[in-house]
């Protein structure tokens, strides 16, 4: 049978007067519309008239046909309107492209109307009840099919908390709750609505048979509800159950890892202090954890014990580079600081005192500040360690070493500055020397980060108003650090006003970056300020606007922010602004880092070297420690770029990406390390590129090869000190000592298990992966002495012929004499085979046993397991590494504890060299020393 080639005959029936014929025509057209929609579209007005005729008996069928015609024409809004008019004839259960498209349009419109209703109820468009009905049918369909996560996705966007709650109950809280939490933190952009959802989640997590205290704790930190956090800790401590007490300690460690200084102080002060109570000692331990002292002590112990710094790399770089050039001297200083960050090992400095003495001016400032990075976290000995360099009354010393020591003091007490803030304020108040003001401001900002301390802010403002270019720049940065994330209107107004009044570019830049820090994490609340800064005539303020986007939307992956940055990256007239815009992409997308190479691919090929440099940093920041091959493939060509600072950016970014990656995990690791050596040795290489290569050597081996750059905490929160540290590190473009800020982002890749007394017991757990996969990188081998070989003596052709004849005659004579004797069989071949078999490598085991204070890199976490019969197991179910509170299953038996040494050792004592065996006797502790700077 020949198929229809036209719908003209059926369309003609629409002109009939008999309604039955019209209905028949519509029924036929409903089946033919997908094939002949182009023809039917000419008659769609007639179908619309039928739908609008209230007396026509099959109006809904007319609406359905009209809806399908408009769907094929691409007029989806009209199609949706007629589909709603079709009532029950619009069957949601049908699986077709038309139904799916119209349902999605329906949901989109419903969500838009619901959001408008929530945000602006007075001007909101009224909700069409037919639209509501379709969406309700969709929810019912999700419930019937068991697609609770799909229902949650629609409900979250449509502000339907009732549906969210029903889906959690119906789909099983243990299954749905984590999904809701993840969507709340990644998809929901409105902060007020997100807080409402978090409060709902807290209630749901509490209702579980076994309440999920870890998730409750995370929600409370996001809500900023310090009172509820304190009550949760208090309830667990006072419950009298050992597992609850251990969970309280674990939550305290998590809080210390995720919350600001201000929040932690409020939680600690909200905990009761009643002497004589049996629980007071336990509460005191919780307060000690919240103060950060326990975390710092344990991490310091881990970094000191596991220090695998390769001194030969530093020695080779120092030997090759001319120390008379401050850029090279500073580069090696930074590399040494990064490699030994937090390890308290100053061996390299002791062994190179003559090289150290060549530092001048700001190189001297950087060298002294490096002590703060090396001894980061050594809170108990920070002041005594830096005593020889700190300003002293009646003693005239170099202002550069004194200023550097003040910065170092801030770095040692970074984000835990209670003990030194008053001292630094006193120094700042009593000095008019610019370099000292600079160091004191940076120290105050770093130690007082996010404290929202008005007194410190006023001291910094006084320095700013003195209009000193050097001191004012640091004051602007420090004001931002102290007021970090507060969105203080007073601070923003004063900083903006002064930035427009002053003539010093350095001060304007310090204030621009400081303003961005004040808006940290504020998302859409920062939009008005971002608009203002982005439209400013001064390119430095627009530069600050790009960093404000980066800080306000860090880790959110917000599309609006990404679009704005990409627009500026290709349109602004100033290179600095464009570079900042591209760099900012790394901050916004670090949670979805796999997308970054695709987004910056074209920018990495830009004609503008500043944009290419920004692409390098964006890749390094977002993909730090991941070893992502797509990022490495983009960065490798830029190491051969024809512009020196682009090569510098590529070297630094590659080091960030390859942190904690050995050659087995990522073959590029060895290639990149070799490349750094070659670039540093190359005589005709530009200084900026060499600076980047040396910095790369320090970053890739940071913290004795035991740290990574982590922009989010183990529990998924944005790691505030790390984000701020990296943002300030990028300012080394203008001022090299800012490189030290990168140490704020260094996160130890440790497993540290503690018991109820916060001591470290000896434990054993399994890494179900080949040991070589996550092993330390082998140390560099020193160059071997070349063996001089003897040169073969020249032999004349006539002499060679004579020797050959004599040898032939002798052989013939021997054969005749020993004709009957068989020659002995030489066993050389079998011996070779046996030797090969003997040296054949053994098959590598597929797992290994690890103990307390072991290095466990992020990629290794999924391979870690604990024996169910083991004495110690983590108190929390999901293993994320870091500091883990352990439940003792045999609490009556005696424990074997690991003695701590790092916290009690002299501050200037070097650690044991990585090449020494553990059994060897320790070398005597060397005497304390001071940097041999010329006064």
């Amino acid at each position: 049978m020949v198929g229809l080639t036209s719908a003209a005959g059926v369309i003609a029936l629409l002109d009939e007067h008999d309604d039955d014929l019209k209905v028949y025509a519509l029924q036929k057209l409903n089946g033919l519309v997908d094939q002949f929609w182009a023809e039917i579209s000419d008659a769609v007005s007639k179908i619309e008239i039928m739908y609008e005729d209230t007396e026509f008996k099959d109006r809904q069928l007319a609406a359905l046909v009209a809806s399908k015609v408009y769907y094929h024409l691409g007029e989806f809004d009209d199609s949706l309107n007629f589909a709603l008019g079709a009532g029950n004839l619009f069957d949601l259960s049908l699986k077709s492209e038309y139904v799916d498209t119209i349902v999605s349009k329906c949901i989109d419109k419903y969500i838009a109307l619901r959001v408008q209703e929530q945000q602006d109820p007075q001007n909101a468009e009224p909700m069409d009840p037919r639209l509501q009905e379709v969406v309700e049918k969709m929810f019912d369909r999700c419930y019937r099919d068991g697609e609770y996560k799909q229902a949650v996705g629609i409900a979250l966007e449509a502000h339907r908390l009732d549906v969210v709650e029903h889906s959690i109950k119906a789909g099983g809280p243990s299954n749905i709750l984590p999904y809701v939490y993840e969507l709340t933190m990644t998809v929901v952009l409105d902060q007020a609505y997100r807080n409402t959802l978090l409060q709902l989640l807290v209630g749901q997590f509490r209702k579980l048979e076994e309440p999920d205290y870890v998730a409750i704790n995370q929600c409370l930190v996001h809500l900023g509800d310090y009172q509820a956090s304190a009550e949760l800790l208090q309830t667990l401590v006072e419950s009298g159950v050992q597992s609850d007490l251990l969970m309280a300690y674990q939550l305290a460690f998590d809080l210390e890892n995720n919350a600001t200084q201000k929040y932690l102080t409020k939680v600690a002060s909200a905990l009761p202090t009643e002497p004589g109570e049996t629980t007071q000692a336990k509460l005191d331990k919780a307060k000690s954890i919240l103060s950060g002292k326990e975390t710092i002590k344990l991490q310091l112990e881990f970094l000191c014990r596991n220090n695998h710094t390769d001194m030969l790399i530093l020695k080779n770089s120092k030997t090759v580079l001319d120390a008379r050039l401050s850029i090279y001297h500073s580069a090696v200083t930074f590399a040494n600081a990064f490699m030994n960050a937090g390890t308290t090992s100053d061996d390299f400095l002791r062994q190179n005192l003559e090289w150290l003495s060549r530092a001048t001016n700001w190189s001297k400032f950087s060298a002294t500040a490096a002590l703060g990075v090396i001894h980061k976290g050594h809170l108990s000995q920070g002041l005594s360690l830096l005593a020889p360099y700190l300003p002293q009354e009646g003693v005239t010393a170099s202002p550069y070493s004194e200023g550097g020591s003040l910065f170092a003091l801030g770095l040692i007490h970074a984000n835990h500055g209670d003990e030194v803030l008053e001292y630094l304020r006193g120094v700042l108040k009593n000095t008019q020397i610019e370099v000292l003001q600079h160091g004191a401001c940076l120290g105050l900002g770093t130690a007082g980060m996010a404290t929202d301390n008005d007194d410190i802010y006023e001291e910094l403002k006084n320095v700013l108003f003195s209009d000193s270019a050097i001191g004012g720049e640091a004051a602007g940065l420090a004001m931002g650090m102290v007021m970090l994330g507060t969105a203080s209107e007073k601070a923003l107004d004063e900083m903006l006003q002064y930035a427009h009044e002053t003539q010093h570019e350095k001060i304007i830049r310090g204030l621009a970056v400081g303003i961005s820090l004040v808006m940290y994490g504020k998302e859409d609340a920062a939009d008005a300020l971002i608009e203002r800064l982005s439209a400013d005539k001064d390119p430095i303020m627009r530069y600050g606007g790009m960093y404000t986007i980066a800080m306000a939307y860090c880790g959110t992956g917000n599309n609006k922010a990404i679009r704005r940055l990409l627009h500026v990256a290709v349109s602004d007239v100033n290179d600095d602004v464009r570079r900042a815009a591209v760099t900012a992409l790394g901050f916004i997308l670090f949670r979805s880092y796999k997308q970054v190479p695709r987004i910056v691919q074209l920018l990495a090929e830009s004609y503008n070297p500043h944009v290419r440099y920004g692409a390098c940093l964006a890749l390094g920041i977002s993909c730090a420690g991941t070893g992502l091959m797509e990022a490495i493939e983009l960065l490798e060509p830029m190491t051969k770029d024809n512009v020196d600072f682009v090569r510098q950016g590529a070297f630094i970014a590659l080091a960030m990406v390859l942190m904690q990656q050995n050659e087995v995990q990522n073959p590029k690791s060895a290639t990149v390390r070799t490349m750094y050596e070659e670039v540093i040795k190359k005589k005709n290489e530009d200084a900026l590129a060499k600076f980047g290569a040396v910095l790369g050597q320090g970053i890739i081996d940071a913290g004795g090869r035991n740290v990574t750059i982590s922009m989010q905490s183990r529990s998924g929160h944005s790691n505030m000190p790390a984000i701020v540290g990296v943002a300030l590190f990028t300012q080394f473009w203008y001022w090299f000592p800012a490189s030290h800020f990168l140490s704020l982002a260094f996160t130890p890749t440790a497993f540290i298990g503690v018991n109820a007394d916060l001591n470290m017991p000896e434990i054993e757990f399994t890494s179900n992966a080949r040991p070589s996969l996550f092993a330390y990188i082998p140390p560099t081998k020193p160059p071997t002495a070349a063996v001089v070989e003897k040169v073969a003596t020249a032999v004349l052709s006539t002499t060679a012929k004579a020797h050959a004849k004599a040898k032939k005659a002798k052989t013939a004579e021997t054969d005749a004499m020993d004709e009957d004797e068989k020659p002995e069989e030489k066993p050389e071949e079998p011996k070779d085979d046996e030797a090969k078999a003997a040296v054949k490598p053994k098959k590598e085991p597929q797992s290994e046993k690890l103990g307390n204070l072991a290095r466990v890199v992020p990629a290794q976490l999924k391979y870690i397991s604990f024996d169910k019969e083991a004495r110690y197991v983590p108190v929390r179910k999901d293993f994320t590494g870091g500091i883990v509170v352990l439940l003792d299953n045999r609490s009556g038996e005696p424990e074997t504890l690991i003695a701590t040494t790092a916290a009690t050792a002299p501050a200037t004592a070097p650690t044991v060299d990585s090449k020494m065996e553990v059994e060897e006797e320790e070398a005597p502790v060397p005497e304390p020393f001071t940097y041999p700077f010329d006064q």
Side-chain angles (χ1 to χ4, degrees):
M1 183 178 173
V2 180
L4 283 175
T5 57
S6 171
V10 182
I11 294 169
L13 293 175
L14 296 175
D15 295 324
E16 296 292 333
H17 295 293
D18 190 345
D19 283 356
D20 289 338
L21 286 173
K22 291 180 181 177
V23 170
Y24 174 78
L26 289 171
Q27 288 170 346
K28 285 292 183 183
L29 290 174
N30 189 38
L32 298 172
V33 69
D34 292 336
Q35 188 178 356
F36 297 108
W37 60 268
E39 266 188 278
I40 300 169
S41 64
D42 292 334
V44 73
S45 57
K46 297 174 185 176
I47 300 170
E48 285 185 47
I49 291 168
M50 291 178 198
Y51 167 65
E52 290 165 3
D53 184 357
T54 53
E55 294 181 2
F56 184 65
K57 62 181 179 181
D58 219 336
R59 294 176 62 228
Q60 291 184 338
L61 182 58
L64 183 63
V65 175
S67 173
K68 288 182 178 179
V69 172
Y70 279 118
Y71 162 72
H72 285 292
L73 288 168
E75 299 289 343
F76 296 124
D77 288 337
D78 289 334
S79 180
L80 173 59
N81 288 332
F82 282 110
L84 293 175
N88 292 329
L89 292 181
F90 179 59
D91 189 356
L92 301 181
S93 62
L94 289 176
K95 300 289 184 185
S96 72
E97 191 178 324
Y98 161 69
V99 172
D100 291 344
T101 305
I102 299 306
V103 166
S104 71
K105 293 291 175 185
C106 187
I107 291 169
D108 289 346
K109 187 165 185 181
Y110 177 77
I111 289 169
L113 291 172
R114 285 283 302 172
V115 170
Q116 191 181 13
E117 190 180 310
Q118 298 292 322
Q119 294 179 348
D120 189 9
Q122 293 181 344
N123 300 319
E125 186 183 331
M127 178 69 70
D128 188 334
R130 299 172 304 172
L131 193 67
Q132 178 116 12
E133 187 182 347
V134 172
V135 174
E136 293 296 343
K137 284 179 182 176
M138 273 302 300
F139 285 136
D140 291 338
R141 176 175 151 186
C142 291
Y143 298 151
R144 280 197 311 274
D145 298 346
E147 296 286 350
Y148 296 106
K149 289 185 177 180
Q150 191 176 358
V152 164
I154 299 168
L156 280 177
E157 289 200 70
H159 292 238
R160 286 290 299 274
L161 299 184
D162 56 325
V163 177
V164 173
E165 204 163 346
H166 177 78
S167 300
I168 291 169
K169 288 174 185 173
S174 58
N175 182 32
I176 303 296
L177 270 174
Y179 179 71
V180 177
Y181 175 75
E182 184 187 347
L183 288 184
T184 301
M185 299 315 302
T186 54
V187 174
V188 178
L189 302 179
D190 187 326
Q191 282 192 311
Y193 175 49
R194 187 190 302 154
N195 289 346
T196 307
L197 282 168
L198 288 172
Q199 286 166 348
L200 169 70
L201 287 171
V202 169
Q204 293 295 323
F205 281 125
R206 288 186 193 275
K207 289 176 185 175
L208 294 172
E209 288 181 23
E210 289 183 23
D212 191 339
Y213 296 118
V214 174
I216 293 169
N217 196 39
Q218 289 178 14
C219 292
L220 293 175
V221 172
H222 282 298
L223 287 167
D225 192 347
Y226 67 90
Q227 193 67 45
S229 288
E231 287 170 8
L232 179 62
L233 291 177
Q234 186 181 346
T235 304
L236 289 170
V237 169
E238 293 177 349
S239 73
V241 181
Q242 182 70 0
S243 59
D244 284 352
L245 174 66
L246 296 174
M247 181 54 77
Y249 291 161
Q250 184 67 67
L251 296 183
F253 277 119
D254 290 351
L255 275 174
E256 194 281 327
N257 193 25
N258 295 319
T260 63
Q261 282 192 73
K262 185 180 179 182
Y263 187 88
L264 293 170
T265 307
K266 286 184 175 180
V267 173
S269 59
L271 290 171
T273 50
E274 298 173 18
E277 290 263 338
T278 53
T279 57
Q280 192 56 48
K282 297 171 184 175
L283 286 170
D284 288 343
K285 274 184 186 170
K287 289 182 181 180
S288 175
I289 295 168
L290 291 171
S291 71
K293 291 176 182 175
E294 297 296 332
T295 300
I296 286 170
K297 183 177 74 175
L298 293 167
Q299 289 180 345
L300 197 62
E301 185 71 27
F302 164 76
L303 291 171
C304 290
R305 281 174 179 266
N306 294 283
N307 186 9
H308 280 67
T309 301
D310 193 339
M311 289 296 181
L312 198 56
I313 293 175
L314 279 171
K315 183 183 173 185
N316 291 342
S317 297
K318 178 198 74 81
T319 306
V320 171
L321 298 173
D322 185 355
R324 290 173 298 179
L325 291 176
S326 67
I327 187 171
Y328 292 150
H329 197 287
S330 293
V332 178
T333 298
F334 297 137
N336 173 51
F338 292 158
M339 283 189 184
N340 291 290
T343 65
T344 72
S345 170
D346 46 21
D347 291 4
F348 178 77
L349 302 175
R350 292 176 186 281
Q351 294 163 10
N352 297 282
L353 295 177
E354 188 274 330
W355 169 84
L356 195 60
S357 65
R358 297 184 197 171
T360 58
N361 300 335
W362 287 108
S363 295
K364 193 181 292 187
F365 181 97
S366 297
T368 318
L371 275 178
V373 178
I374 293 170
H375 295 275
K376 183 173 178 281
H378 217 145
L379 305 185
S380 59
Q381 309 231 2
L383 278 166
S384 59
L385 166 75
L386 294 167
Y389 316 103
L390 291 168
Q392 297 171 20
E393 286 187 27
V395 178
T396 307
S398 164
Y400 290 98
S401 61
E402 288 183 348
S405 70
L406 295 171
F407 185 20
L409 196 61
L411 290 168
I412 289 174
H413 292 80
N415 212 22
H416 298 92
D418 293 346
E419 297 173 13
V420 295
L421 288 175
E422 284 305 314
Y423 171 78
L424 287 167
R425 280 182 64 195
V427 173
L428 187 61
K429 195 182 288 185
N430 297 324
T431 185
Q432 295 300 316
I433 301 170
E434 284 187 330
V435 180
L436 282 185
Q437 286 179 336
H438 190 96
C441 287
L442 292 175
L444 269 174
T446 313
M449 198 184 295
T451 52
D452 191 15
N453 187 313
D454 278 334
D455 295 335
I456 296 175
Y457 173 80
E458 291 300 324
E459 293 288 347
L460 293 167
K461 192 168 73 172
N462 291 338
V463 175
L464 180 72
F465 287 171
S466 68
D467 208 41
S468 150
I470 294 171
E473 180 185 27
L477 291 171
M479 288 160 79
M481 284 191 272
V482 171
M483 306 305 285
L484 181 64
T486 60
S488 163
E489 288 188 17
K490 177 195 170 198
L492 288 170
D493 287 345
E494 290 175 344
M495 292 168 82
L496 277 167
Q497 185 180 350
Y498 197 77
H500 286 112
E501 288 175 1
T502 186
Q503 298 299 311
H504 294 291
E505 282 191 11
K506 290 172 77 69
I507 296 178
I508 299 170
R509 187 170 293 109
L511 286 168
V513 177
I515 286 166
S516 74
L517 299 179
V518 177
M519 297 308 290
Y520 170 85
K522 291 303 171 188
E523 297 182 29
D524 48 358
D527 284 350
L529 177 64
I530 290 167
E531 288 285 350
R532 183 175 172 185
L533 291 172
S534 301
D536 202 293
K537 290 180 181 177
D538 189 340
I540 301 176
M541 296 307 288
R542 297 203 301 278
Y543 174 91
M546 298 306 102
Y547 273 93
T548 306
I549 297 173
M551 294 297 99
Y553 288 98
C554 57
T556 62
N558 184 283
N559 284 329
K560 180 177 67 175
I562 293 167
R563 281 197 303 271
R564 181 186 280 274
L565 290 172
L566 289 172
H567 173 71
V568 173
V570 296
S571 65
D572 200 277
V573 295
N574 185 273
D575 285 336
D576 288 357
V577 180
R578 296 176 72 173
R579 187 180 69 249
V582 184
T583 305
L585 290 169
F587 290 97
I588 291 174
L589 288 163
F590 66 76
R591 289 187 203 278
S592 47
Y593 62 89
K594 290 182 180 176
Q595 296 180 20
V596 179
R598 181 175 54 82
I599 290 173
V600 303
Q601 185 173 7
L602 290 175
L603 297 171
E605 298 167 3
S606 169
Y607 74 93
N608 187 315
H610 291 265
V611 172
R612 298 202 297 275
Y613 180 92
C616 290
L617 286 191
L619 288 164
I621 290 164
S622 58
C623 303
T626 63
L628 189 69
M629 284 307 297
E630 290 90 335
I632 294 168
E633 286 165 6
L634 270 181
L635 288 167
E636 276 189 319
M638 287 195 274
T639 61
K640 299 178 179 66
D641 198 277
N642 58 1
V643 178
D644 53 359
F645 63 77
V646 177
R647 295 198 295 279
Q648 178 195 85
F651 295 145
I652 292 169
L654 275 171
M656 290 171 135
V657 175
L658 287 168
M659 288 178 88
Q660 301 280 286
Q661 302 275 320
N662 62 20
E663 197 172 352
V664 179
Q665 248 182 303
N666 195 316
K668 294 289 183 184
S669 174
T671 312
V672 169
R673 290 167 189 276
T674 307
M675 178 180 66
Y676 289 151
E677 290 178 27
E678 291 170 355
V679 168
I680 293 165
K681 287 176 183 174
K682 202 184 290 184
K683 286 188 177 179
N684 59 348
E685 183 59 90
D686 292 294
L688 282 180
K690 285 190 178 184
F691 180 88
V694 178
L695 227 58
Q697 284 185 327
I699 293 167
I700 203 169
D701 286 342
R705 294 178 172 167
N706 287 299
V707 301
T708 187
I709 292 173
S710 182
M711 305 288 272
Q712 55 183 329
S713 68
R714 296 178 186 277
S715 54
H717 287 251
S718 294
N719 186 349
M720 186 187 71
I723 292 166
V724 172
V726 174
L728 293 173
F729 163 73
T730 59
Q731 307 310 311
F732 80 86
W733 176 276
Y734 304 101
W735 184 71
F736 283 156
S739 303
H740 286 312
F741 280 115
L742 189 64
S743 63
L744 301 181
F746 292 159
T747 306
T749 50
F751 170 86
I752 305 171
V754 296
N755 61 12
D757 298 321
L758 304 185
N759 294 320
M760 292 177 290
E762 286 189 2
I763 61 169
E764 193 176 74
F765 57 95
T766 307
S767 171
N768 298 294
R770 292 176 294 130
S772 64
L773 189 60
F774 300 110
Y776 282 104
I777 292 130
T780 309
K781 292 178 182 176
T784 52
V787 179
V788 180
E789 294 182 2
K790 288 184 178 180
V791 179
T793 309
V795 180
L796 295 173
S797 59
T798 51
T799 312
K801 286 176 183 175
H803 279 308
K805 281 181 181 177
K807 190 175 181 183
K808 190 175 182 183
K810 191 175 180 182
T811 306
E813 189 181 334
T814 309
D815 287 346
M817 289 173 66
D818 303 321
E819 196 174 5
D820 299 326
E821 292 183 19
K822 289 184 180 178
E824 286 187 12
E825 290 181 10
K826 294 183 180 180
E828 280 84 350
E829 292 300 322
K831 275 187 178 177
D832 284 350
D833 291 342
E834 286 170 22
K836 283 178 184 176
V839 298
K840 189 177 180 181
K842 292 181 182 178
K843 191 176 181 183
E844 189 180 6
Q846 294 303 302
S847 65
E848 64 177 324
K849 295 290 183 184
L850 299 174
N852 211 344
L853 288 169
R855 183 185 79 146
V856 179
V857 299
Q860 193 176 2
L861 290 171
K862 60 186 175 187
Y863 298 103
I864 300 298
S865 64
F866 287 81
D867 186 357
K868 291 179 181 177
E869 305 302 318
R871 176 172 181 178
Y872 298 100
V873 292
V875 72
R876 66 183 284 178
K877 292 176 184 175
D878 56 324
F879 178 75
T880 57
I883 297 173
V884 178
V885 180
L886 301 167
L887 181 64
D888 187 354
N889 291 323
R890 299 194 285 274
S891 55
E893 298 178 16
E895 295 181 286
T896 308
L897 301 176
I898 297 173
T900 57
T901 55
T904 54
T908 52
T911 56
V912 180
D913 190 85
S914 60
K915 296 176 189 171
M916 291 175 68
E917 297 293 333
V918 178
E919 290 78 21
E920 284 189 48
E921 189 177 340
E922 286 190 21
V925 176
E927 293 297 315
F929 80 106
T930 55
Y931 281 12
F933 293 143
D934 295 325
Q935 301 300 327

